[in-house]
């Protein structure tokens, strides 16, 4: 149901130019949420982040293009904040895809030569409009931050911010927590103007207080941009640069970009992409580039990137931590072919054709088919205007949209024994529907091969995996999974093989975060009580999301002239106004 009084009030604020950036927030988080936000953890989200500092020019155009390149990492919300003359912030953010939130007019109004951008996919704990990023605090100095990942000690951080720092947190997002923890430490300097040393000190203190997975980009009004990565290096981020066409006097003469994946550098014409190290922070101003490793974890957890980035999330044309995602998926296809040979072909089963489940598994499926000398065919035609079902809210919605987005071609299935290849099997809902589609058009037998091992554990580091009881492999054998998804057989890649596929391309990575497969959480701080609480939060928020889907209108994204507090992050921020263009 539409709420016109609140809508018009928020829209009026959004159009008003606020000069005083130190206006206080109007409500405390404990009042707004009845204190419930201290009772259980809230969920982070898999996201794409970007920050750019130009020597001169209109940065919003490139941020907008960069977010489009990172759209696969988040299709639920998008936002950009830029910094213009006199340190004034300008922002546009809202729920929706990049193409929905931004248009030529509001991008043109994002003034400035440095800025931060963010895309987010929908998770059970972050569907509120207010949680579109980047986030902003006015004190101290004016800070904007965008975050990818999830912290696991949110309750302690919220309590500290409320009882000790007396800082207001306006949403349930742990991204806003990180921003306020950083701001709290930075405020302790008490200085009129700060330098890189002050920023490193505050970032180090924040890292020592925060447990979890995170990569962040941030911007300090009139100063510069920065990026940092959690001490375990779980989530990816890197930096790149290019020679500026318009270098300023006394500057280093380069434009700099931070991004979740290297493909952004390729798209925007940057080069020398370099991954930021675990526990490292990099600060870029128009004059200087300063970097420092602030926190180091003891072996073997010194560097543990998330292996699921290579399986599913990252684009195949990206290179993450020195590993080509494309090459890693080729290796997964080679190793999976060995499993198929061992578990099917050597036992007398026949496979007539290998068919990928679009899109992520194509590289591995093609490699598997070539290794086994079996024909490879594209048996499913995809409607590209339907979002990923894995990140689609609601089990019923996922099931319905499988057939909306995929169509099986009888020509490739009729009378054949088919091996379907997918990157992973999560809930099993999509797999079951796809297998049934293959049978409906005449497949004689349908086998399912997964590039990933069985997923039996919750993810607490920013991927919104379902609760354990919703995972098809939880407390089930491989044979039981096959029966559940109605496959003739299921072949899983082993965890050892998967790790070797990625590590073979960069032997310097000695350990990965494989927690969704083995239940080993490298950061610590994750016990049964935490997991149960997290699952309860997911269930509660899933119910809230379903209820909200029937009531939420679809107004336009708010584009405010200057960023002056939470009005553009208010609870009723619009989804998008894509029909007014």
């Amino acid at each position: 149901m539409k709420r016109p009084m609140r809508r018009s009030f928020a829209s009026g604020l959004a159009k008003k130019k606020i000069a005083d950036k130190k206006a206080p927030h109007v409500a405390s988080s404990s009042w707004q949420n009845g204190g419930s936000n201290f009772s259980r953890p809230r969920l982070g989200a898999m996201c794409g982040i970007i920050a750019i500092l130009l020597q001169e020019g209109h940065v919003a155009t490139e941020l907008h293009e960069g977010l489009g390149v990172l759209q696969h990492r988040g299709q639920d919300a998008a936002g950009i904040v830029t910094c213009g003359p006199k340190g004034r912030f300008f922002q546009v953010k809202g729920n929706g895809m990049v193409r929905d939130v931004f248009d030529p007019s509001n991008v043109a109004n994002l003034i400035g030569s440095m800025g931060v951008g963010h895309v987010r996919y929908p998770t059970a704990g972050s569907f509120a409009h207010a949680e579109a990023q980047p986030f902003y605090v006015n004190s101290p100095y004016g800070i904007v931050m965008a975050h990818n990942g999830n912290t696991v000690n949110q309750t302690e951080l919220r309590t500290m911010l409320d009882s000790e720092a007396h800082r207001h947190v306006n949403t349930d997002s742990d991204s806003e927590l990180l921003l306020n923890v950083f701001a709290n430490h930075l405020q302790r300097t008490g200085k009129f103007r700060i330098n890189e040393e002050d920023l490193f000190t505050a970032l180090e203190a924040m890292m020592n207080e925060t447990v979890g997975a995170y990569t962040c980009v941030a911007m300090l009004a009139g100063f510069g941009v920065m990026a940092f990565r959690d001490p375990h290096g779980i989530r990816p981020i890197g930096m790149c640069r290019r020679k500026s066409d318009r270098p300023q006097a006394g500057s280093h003469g380069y434009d700099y970009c931070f991004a979740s994946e290297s493909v952004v550098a390729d798209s925007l014409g940057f080069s020398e992409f370099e991954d930021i190290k675990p526990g490292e922070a990099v600060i870029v101003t128009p004059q200087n580039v300063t970097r420092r490793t602030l926190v180091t974890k003891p072996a073997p957890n010194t560097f543990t990137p998330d292996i699921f980035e290579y399986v599913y999330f990252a684009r195949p044309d990206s290179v993450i931590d020195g590993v080509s995602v494309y090459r890693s998926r080729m290796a997964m296809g080679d190793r999976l072919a060995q499993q198929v040979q061992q578990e099917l072909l050597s036992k007398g089963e026949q496979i007539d054709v290998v068919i990928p489940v679009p899109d992520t598994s194509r590289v591995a499926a093609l490699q598997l088919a070539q290794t086994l000398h079996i024909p490879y065919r594209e048996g499913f035609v995809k409607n590209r205007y339907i979002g990923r079902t894995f990140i689609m809210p609601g089990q019923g919605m996922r099931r319905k949209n499988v057939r909306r987005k995929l169509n099986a071609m009888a020509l490739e299935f009729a009378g054949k024994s088919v091996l379907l290849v997918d990157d992973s099997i999560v809930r099993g809902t999509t797999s079951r529907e796809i297998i049934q589609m293959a049978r409906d058009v005449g497949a004689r037998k349908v086998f399912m091969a997964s590039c990933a091992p069985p997923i039996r554990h919750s993810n607490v580091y920013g991927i919104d995996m379902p609760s354990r009881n919703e995972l098809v492999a939880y407390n089930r054998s491989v044979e039981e999974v096959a029966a559940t998804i109605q496959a003739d057989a299921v072949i899983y890649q082993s965890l050892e093989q998967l790790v070797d596929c990625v590590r073979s391309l960069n032997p310097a990575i000695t350990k990965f975060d494989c927690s969704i497969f083995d239940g080993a959480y490298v950061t610590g701080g994750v016990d049964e009580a935490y997991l149960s609480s997290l699952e309860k939060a997911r269930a509660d928020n899933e119910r809230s999301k379903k209820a909200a889907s029937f009531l939420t209108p679809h107004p336009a994204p708010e584009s405010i002239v200057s960023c002056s507090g939470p009005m553009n992050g208010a609870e009723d921020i619009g989804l998008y106004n894509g029909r007014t263009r």
Side-chain angles (χ1 to χ4, degrees):
M1 181 177 293
K2 198 169 183 178
R3 295 172 288 182
M5 291 182 66
R6 291 189 65 193
R7 181 72 240 161
S8 59
F9 174 72
S11 298
L13 282 176
K15 295 174 182 177
K16 182 179 178 182
K17 189 171 182 179
I18 307 294
D20 181 10
K21 287 195 252 181
K22 296 187 179 180
H25 294 296
V26 296
S28 71
S29 57
S30 57
W31 172 82
Q32 181 183 4
N33 297 293
S36 63
N37 54 346
F38 297 107
S39 62
R40 63 173 181 260
R42 310 301 287 185
L43 309 181
M46 179 61 75
C47 306
I49 57 177
I50 183 173
I52 298 176
L53 182 144
L54 303 178
Q55 287 291 311
E56 185 180 328
H58 186 250
V59 73
T61 304
E62 297 200 68
L63 287 169
H64 176 252
E65 183 178 344
L67 290 182
V69 174
L70 294 173
Q71 186 74 86
H72 62 286
R73 299 187 69 86
Q75 303 169 11
D76 184 50
I80 291 174
V81 178
T82 61
C83 185
K86 300 181 180 179
R88 182 66 56 88
F89 287 142
F90 301 82
Q91 76 170 353
V92 175
K93 62 179 183 177
N95 279 6
M97 297 179 70
V98 172
R99 66 170 181 249
D100 303 320
V101 175
F102 301 100
D103 59 41
S105 176
N106 61 33
V107 171
N109 288 328
L110 289 167
I111 300 168
S113 58
M114 65 178 177
V116 171
H118 184 271
V119 289
R120 184 194 73 200
Y121 86 37
T123 71
S126 58
F127 69 93
H129 307 319
E131 297 182 14
Q133 296 187 44
F135 283 116
Y136 159 80
V137 291
N138 60 5
S139 179
Y141 314 114
I143 310 169
V144 170
M145 183 180 289
H147 159 242
N148 174 27
N150 189 62
T151 57
V152 300
N153 65 331
Q154 297 171 35
T155 301
E156 292 82 357
L157 294 177
R158 286 183 183 275
T159 301
M160 181 276 293
L161 288 172
D162 188 55
S163 61
E164 298 177 25
H166 311 304
R167 298 190 70 90
H168 165 64
V169 179
N170 195 54
T171 72
D172 289 327
S173 172
D174 65 333
S175 306
E176 193 181 9
L177 283 180
L178 282 172
L179 172 58
N180 277 276
V181 172
F182 171 56
N184 179 53
H185 286 292
L186 197 58
Q187 193 152 23
R188 292 178 181 177
T189 64
K191 296 170 66 173
F192 179 63
R193 289 288 182 264
I194 58 170
N195 56 32
E196 286 88 344
E197 193 63 36
D198 300 317
L199 292 170
F200 283 133
T201 300
L203 287 170
E204 182 177 1
M206 186 215 70
M207 287 184 182
N208 284 323
E209 283 186 349
T210 305
V211 181
Y214 52 86
T215 53
C216 300
V217 290
M219 176 170 59
L220 198 67
F223 185 85
V225 296
M226 66 196 82
F228 53 94
R229 191 176 188 183
D230 74 79
H232 297 277
I234 297 173
R235 300 262 73 85
I237 191 169
M239 62 183 292
C240 48
R241 69 177 188 171
R242 71 184 177 205
K243 194 73 175 176
S244 175
D245 293 333
R246 292 175 285 183
Q248 302 300 296
S251 73
H252 46 63
Y254 285 88
D255 301 329
Y256 276 86
C257 174
F258 299 110
S260 296
E261 296 186 30
S262 65
V263 67
V264 174
D266 300 333
S267 176
L268 299 183
F270 286 82
S271 60
E272 302 176 57
F273 187 89
E274 179 183 359
D275 298 285
I276 293 176
K277 298 179 178 63
E280 185 181 29
V282 183
I283 301 169
V284 178
T285 71
Q287 295 77 33
N288 299 300
V289 178
T290 315
R291 58 193 306 170
R292 184 178 302 174
T293 298
L294 303 174
V295 177
T296 302
K297 295 295 182 180
N301 295 330
T302 304
F303 184 26
T304 56
D306 184 358
I307 202 164
F308 207 60
E309 288 278 353
Y310 302 96
V311 173
Y312 177 76
F313 271 104
R315 274 182 46 157
D317 45 346
S318 284
V319 177
I320 296 177
D321 292 316
V323 175
S324 163
V325 176
Y326 180 81
R327 292 292 185 187
S328 71
R329 290 176 185 170
M330 287 181 65
M332 292 174 204
D334 279 330
R335 295 302 180 89
L336 192 56
Q338 296 175 16
Q339 289 287 109
V340 171
Q341 177 68 46
Q342 178 181 335
E343 297 185 28
L344 289 180
L345 301 181
S346 65
K347 296 179 181 179
E349 291 287 357
Q350 176 185 346
I351 298 173
D352 300 315
V353 63
V354 174
I355 294 178
V357 177
D359 283 311
T360 320
S361 62
R362 279 197 170 106
V363 176
L366 179 58
Q367 193 69 18
L368 179 151
Q370 290 177 340
T371 302
L372 295 177
H373 306 290
I374 297 173
Y376 169 93
R377 296 289 184 269
E378 293 283 348
F380 294 104
V381 177
K382 184 175 182 180
N383 180 352
R384 307 212 172 259
Y385 303 98
I386 301 292
R388 286 179 171 180
T389 56
F390 172 69
I391 62 178
M392 195 167 289
Q395 192 81 320
M397 182 71 76
R398 272 184 294 273
R399 189 179 299 114
K400 184 182 296 184
N401 275 279
V402 172
R403 290 184 181 256
R404 286 180 179 172
K405 79 172 188 175
L406 288 180
N407 184 50
M409 292 191 293
L411 179 67
E412 299 298 346
F413 289 94
K416 297 178 181 178
S417 178
V418 179
L419 176 66
L420 301 180
V421 179
D422 208 348
D423 52 77
S424 58
I425 305 172
V426 186
R427 292 175 177 89
T429 309
T430 300
S431 300
R432 184 168 57 247
E433 288 296 315
I434 287 174
I435 289 167
Q436 187 58 48
M437 288 170 63
R439 296 193 191 281
D440 288 345
V441 293
R444 181 168 50 85
K445 282 189 175 183
V446 183
F447 304 103
M448 175 67 78
S450 169
C451 296
I455 298 174
R456 295 194 168 104
H457 302 274
S458 295
N459 183 282
V460 302
Y461 297 135
I463 301 175
D464 186 42
M465 287 288 177
S467 300
R468 288 168 290 182
N469 290 329
E470 296 178 274
L471 297 169
V472 70
Y474 181 68
N475 281 341
R476 287 191 178 99
S477 66
V478 174
E479 293 74 20
E480 289 170 332
V481 171
T484 302
I485 65 174
Q486 299 174 3
D488 289 284
V490 171
I491 300 92
Y492 282 108
Q493 185 107 259
S494 71
L495 182 56
E496 294 76 14
Q497 287 176 327
L498 177 61
V499 169
D500 189 59
C501 288
V502 183
R503 187 166 52 200
S504 65
L505 300 170
N506 183 2
I509 306 176
T510 59
K511 185 176 180 179
F512 293 88
D513 169 57
C514 303
S515 54
I516 60 174
F517 306 121
D518 61 12
Y521 299 100
V522 297
T523 64
V526 181
D527 54 18
E528 182 59 34
Y530 176 86
L531 292 173
S532 297
S533 183
L534 192 67
E535 289 172 354
K536 187 176 187 304
R538 281 191 169 111
D540 290 348
N541 284 294
E542 189 68 26
R543 285 191 291 270
S544 298
K545 184 184 294 184
K546 289 177 181 177
S549 66
F550 293 103
L551 299 174
T552 306
H554 298 268
E558 295 172 1
S559 173
I560 68 175
V561 178
S562 63
C563 179
S564 305
M567 72 285 295
N568 191 39
E571 193 62 30
D572 62 344
I573 184 173
L575 292 173
Y576 60 90
N577 192 17
R579 300 299 177 265
T580 63
R581 294 179 232 162

